[in-house]
Amino acid sequence: PNCATDNCPGVGVVCTPPSGSTFAKGTTPVRCIATDASGNKDTCDFNVVVNDNEPPVATCPGDTVVIVPPGPQGNEGVGAIVVFTSTATDNCSGVSIACVPPSGSVFPEGTTQVRCIATDAAGNTDTCFFNVTVRQEQGPQPPTALCKNVVVAADGNCLGSGSIDNGSFDPDGGLVTLR
């Protein structure tokens, strides 16, 4: 608290802005005037400095998987343009966020870690991370025929019959017909 002394009682102090005021971030000059009962005055000037020491909060989206259609033969692994949104909040105005690689970039096939840094006007920072995975869509796969020799006993007409399916399958879930 600012105090004033005098050789006589009855000193009053008035400050502008007054004690208990809310001060914005930065430097605010304050002037106090002490006046005694006889009307004598003295002035005192000082600064109130408010610093922003609180970092912003960076918020990244969750991990993202992008499926791209198969490219022309020999053009695999091209990648995909990926658009995402990251945000930043702060106790003071003037916060920004930047990500590497940035939204709208071409991400290669595979997994890429994205780093986003929020920076406020005072230079405080916060960082968040997420992964972008680009995978090529798998086109139709050919069925797999599993073959092996089958031995069956001849019937009365000298003919034989038996199962010739040895576990053939279609990876796309289709019906496999052996002929």
Side-chain angles (χ1 to χ4, degrees):
N2 293 312
C3 299
T5 59
D6 193 42
N7 59 345
C8 297
V11 176
V13 178
V14 176
C15 295
T16 305
S19 180
S21 295
T22 300
F23 296 91
K25 182 180 77 166
T27 301
T28 303
V30 177
R31 173 167 277 191
C32 294
I33 300 172
T35 307
D36 67 12
S38 300
N40 297 313
K41 296 182 178 187
D42 190 23
T43 302
C44 170
D45 294 312
F46 62 94
N47 291 320
V48 173
V49 179
V50 177
N51 291 323
D52 176 13
N53 296 321
E54 186 174 324
V57 176
T59 304
C60 285
D63 290 350
T64 303
V65 176
V66 178
I67 307 295
V68 296
Q73 188 154 8
N75 201 19
E76 289 82 14
V78 172
I81 295 173
V82 179
V83 177
F84 57 85
T85 301
S86 56
T87 60
T89 57
D90 194 41
N91 62 326
C92 297
S93 62
V95 65
S96 63
I97 190 160
C99 300
V100 176
S103 178
S105 295
V106 175
F107 283 74
E109 195 170 343
T111 300
T112 302
Q113 185 180 66
V114 179
R115 177 181 184 208
C116 298
I117 301 174
T119 306
D120 68 16
N124 301 310
T125 62
D126 185 37
T127 303
C128 63
F129 300 90
F130 68 100
N131 292 317
V132 172
T133 301
V134 176
R135 285 194 308 224
Q136 231 179 48
E137 178 181 66
Q138 294 297 314
Q141 301 294 310
T144 300
L146 299 175
C147 300
K148 66 180 181 180
N149 291 333
V150 176
V151 177
V152 294
D155 65 11
N157 295 323
C158 212
L159 299 174
S161 66
S163 174
I164 59 170
D165 180 7
N166 293 299
S168 300
F169 64 95
D170 181 354
D172 296 324
L175 178 66
V176 175
T177 304
L178 300 175
R179 296 180 184 163

